[in-house]
């Protein structure tokens, strides 16, 4: 599916890639897993154009709205409708998933869009209502479970990986997205399209990165070059010191979002890391309600429209299929 060109967003404060990594914490970063959809690599190039706030709000307002009967069946959703606002935990510094616009204070991105679509699903309304129907509290990896437990937020949509440890404390709906280690190359490089094309190539690896073991096991004959930080690895690709950089896709897409269009992410992620929407532990009705919401936005095409508007401009692959709801794979199994 070809992307529609989207207007550029108002100027925003520069956000470092290291800040994104810090927000992701032990989750690493997160981005779409193309392995859940088409296996082909699209020939299109990332446009690098960020969605405008106006177009973002229009997309949210076009999403589905729950029936009164659906709301009535869920005490969690009913309480949100009664107060007239969805309070959610998120991040405001991710160029792809949730970035706060300094001129409008609106948060746009894939995660922000999922939260706003959920608020619209519960509360309905027009484009003018979108901004006031949700309120984001900035989360860190250490505050997500405590804020769900004490009721400070109704839900958390913040590149939130599902783990056995977290399932002891909170519930998850979804997964609505999946991430994994991927590959960054120069935009002019058309020879590397997947992990199979990395054999014998010069590959940048960030010291201490989990990608190191992956490269050693999957591409033993690759010529590894270790760098101290993410920025150095990206620069090595831009300057041609290495052929590719292997790292979590969210960090790579964020690098693309900040670049001048001279780098791109190729192929499908080499690993699978599904993540979900965090919900209070004792609210099973919330899990069922949110899963029903996810099914609707996936089936009616809203999920893909959101991907096209937020992630798509910085990704050379076609929109993936959403991950299977209820399937968190090995991530959710007790060790």
């Amino acid at each position: 599916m070809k992307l529609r060109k989207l207007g550029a967003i108002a100027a925003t404060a520069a956000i470092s890639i290291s800040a994104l990594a810090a927000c992701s914490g032990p989750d690493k970063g997160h981005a779409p897993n193309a392995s859940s959809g088409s296996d082909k690599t699209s020939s299109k190039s990332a446009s690098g154009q960020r969605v405008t706030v106006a177009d973002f709000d229009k997309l949210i307002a076009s999403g589905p709205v729950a029936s009164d009967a659906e709301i009535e069946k869920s005490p969690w959703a009913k309480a949100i409708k009664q107060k007239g606002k969805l309070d959610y935990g998120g991040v405001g510094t991710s160029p792809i998933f949730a970035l706060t616009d300094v001129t409008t204070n609106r948060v746009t991105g894939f995660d922000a869009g999922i939260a706003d679509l959920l608020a619209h699903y519960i509360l309905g309304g027009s484009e003018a209502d979108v901004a006031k129907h949700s309120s984001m509290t900035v989360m860190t990896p250490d505050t997500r479970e405590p804020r769900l437990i004490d009721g400070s937020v109704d839900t958390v949509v913040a590149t939130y990986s599902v783990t056995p440890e977290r399932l002891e404390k909170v519930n998850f709906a979804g997964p609505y997205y999946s991430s994994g280690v991927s590959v960054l190359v120069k935009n002019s490089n058309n020879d590397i399209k997947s992990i199979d094309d990395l054999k014998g190539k010069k590959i940048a690896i960030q010291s201490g990165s989990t990608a190191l073991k992956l490269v050693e096991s999957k591409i033993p004959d690759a010529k590894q070059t270790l760098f101290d930080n993410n920025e150095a690895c990206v620069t090595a690709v831009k300057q041609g010191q290495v052929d590719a950089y292997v790292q979590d896709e969210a960090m790579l897409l964020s690098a693309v979002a900040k670049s001048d269009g001279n780098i791109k992410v190729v192929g499908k992620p080499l690993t699978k890391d599904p993540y979900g929407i965090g919900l209070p532990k004792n609210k099973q009705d919330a899990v069922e309600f949110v899963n029903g919401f996810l099914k609707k936005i996936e089936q009616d095409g809203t999920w893909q429209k959101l991907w096209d508007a937020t992630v798509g401009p910085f990704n050379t692959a076609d929109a993936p299929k959403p991950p299977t709801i209820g399937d968190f794979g090995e991530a959710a199994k007790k060790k």
Side-chain angles (χ1 to χ4, degrees), residues 255-270:
V256 173
K258 294 173 62 181
S259 74
D260 295 325
N262 52 358
I263 51 177
K264 63 184 177 182
V265 178
V266 296
K268 59 184 180 182
L270 316 180

Side-chain angles (χ1 to χ4, degrees), residues 171-182:
N171 272 335
F172 285 94
Y176 68 98
Y177 217 45
S178 190
S179 179
V181 174
S182 198

Side-chain angles (χ1 to χ4, degrees), residues 15-30 91 93-95 140-141 144 159 206 229-231 245 247-248 250-252 254:
I15 306 298
S16 71
I17 296 299
S18 59
L20 173 63
C23 290
S24 297
D27 296 341
K28 307 179 293 299
H30 297 89
V91 296
T93 57
S94 169
T140 68
R144 291 178 295 201
T159 61
Q206 183 178 343
N229 55 63
N230 179 75
E231 289 82 358
Y245 171 31
Q247 180 58 282
D248 190 275
M251 295 180 70
L252 300 185
S254 294

Side-chain angles (χ1 to χ4, degrees), residues 7 41 44 47 50 69 92 108 117 124 132 140 156 171 178 182 201 231 252 256 258 267 269 275 287 295 307 315 333:
T41 299
K44 74 176 180 62
S47 68
R50 204 169 277 122
T108 59
L117 282 167
K132 63 184 181 183
T140 68
V156 171
N171 272 335
S178 190
S182 198
K201 300 293 186 181
E231 289 82 358
L252 300 185
V256 173
K258 294 173 62 181
Y275 58 93
V287 175
K295 289 177 182 178
W307 188 94
N315 196 319
K333 293 181 181 179

Side-chain angles (χ1 to χ4, degrees), residues 303-314:
W303 187 96
Q304 182 167 313
K305 290 178 183 177
L306 179 63
W307 188 94
D308 285 346
T310 57
V311 182
F314 306 100

Side-chain angles (χ1 to χ4, degrees), residues 63-270:
V65 177
S67 67
D68 291 340
E70 288 170 318
I71 297 291
E72 194 65 30
K73 286 193 296 184
S74 171
W76 177 84
K78 189 175 180 180
I80 292 169
K81 187 161 188 177
Q82 288 175 342
K83 70 176 178 177
K85 182 179 64 172
L86 174 74
D87 293 303
Y88 76 97
V91 296
T93 57
S94 169
I96 304 296
F97 302 105
L99 182 66
T100 302
D101 183 272
V102 296
T103 61
T104 64
N105 209 36
R106 278 291 281 135
V107 186
T108 59
F110 191 86
D111 279 359
I114 291 291
D116 281 350
L117 282 167
L118 177 57
H120 179 72
Y121 186 65
I122 297 171
L123 299 165
S126 65
E127 289 178 43
D129 299 314
V130 169
K132 63 184 181 183
H133 278 173
S134 67
S135 176
M136 187 191 78
T137 299
V138 175
M139 295 279 122
T140 68
D142 293 331
T143 61
R144 291 178 295 201
E145 286 93 45
R147 297 295 79 81
L148 280 171
I149 292 171
D150 68 19
S152 299
V153 294
D154 301 305
T155 184
V156 171
V157 189
T159 61
Y160 203 179
S161 290
V162 179
T163 67
E165 294 75 19
R166 288 171 179 165
L167 283 170
E168 292 290 327
K169 302 175 182 178
V170 299
N171 272 335
F172 285 94
Y176 68 98
Y177 217 45
S178 190
S179 179
V181 174
S182 198
V183 180
L184 182 82
V185 298
K186 291 181 71 172
N187 197 47
S188 59
N189 188 331
N190 296 316
D191 295 327
I192 298 176
K193 297 182 175 66
S194 72
I195 186 174
D196 295 330
D197 299 320
L198 294 178
K199 296 176 181 178
K201 300 293 186 181
K202 296 178 182 178
I203 301 177
I205 301 289
Q206 183 178 343
S207 298
S209 168
T210 56
L212 178 58
K213 290 184 178 180
L214 180 69
V215 170
E216 289 175 343
S217 63
K218 298 282 188 179
I219 326 164
D221 58 346
K223 302 170 185 176
Q224 302 172 19
T225 302
L226 295 180
F227 293 88
D228 291 336
N229 55 63
N230 179 75
E231 289 82 358
C233 292
V234 173
T235 299
V237 172
K238 291 180 179 180
Q239 295 180 349
Q241 298 175 42
V242 296
D243 300 304
Y245 171 31
V246 179
Q247 180 58 282
D248 190 275
E249 195 173 26
M251 295 180 70
L252 300 185
L253 287 174
S254 294
V256 173
K258 294 173 62 181
S259 74
D260 295 325
N262 52 358
I263 51 177
K264 63 184 177 182
V265 178
V266 296
K268 59 184 180 182
L270 316 180

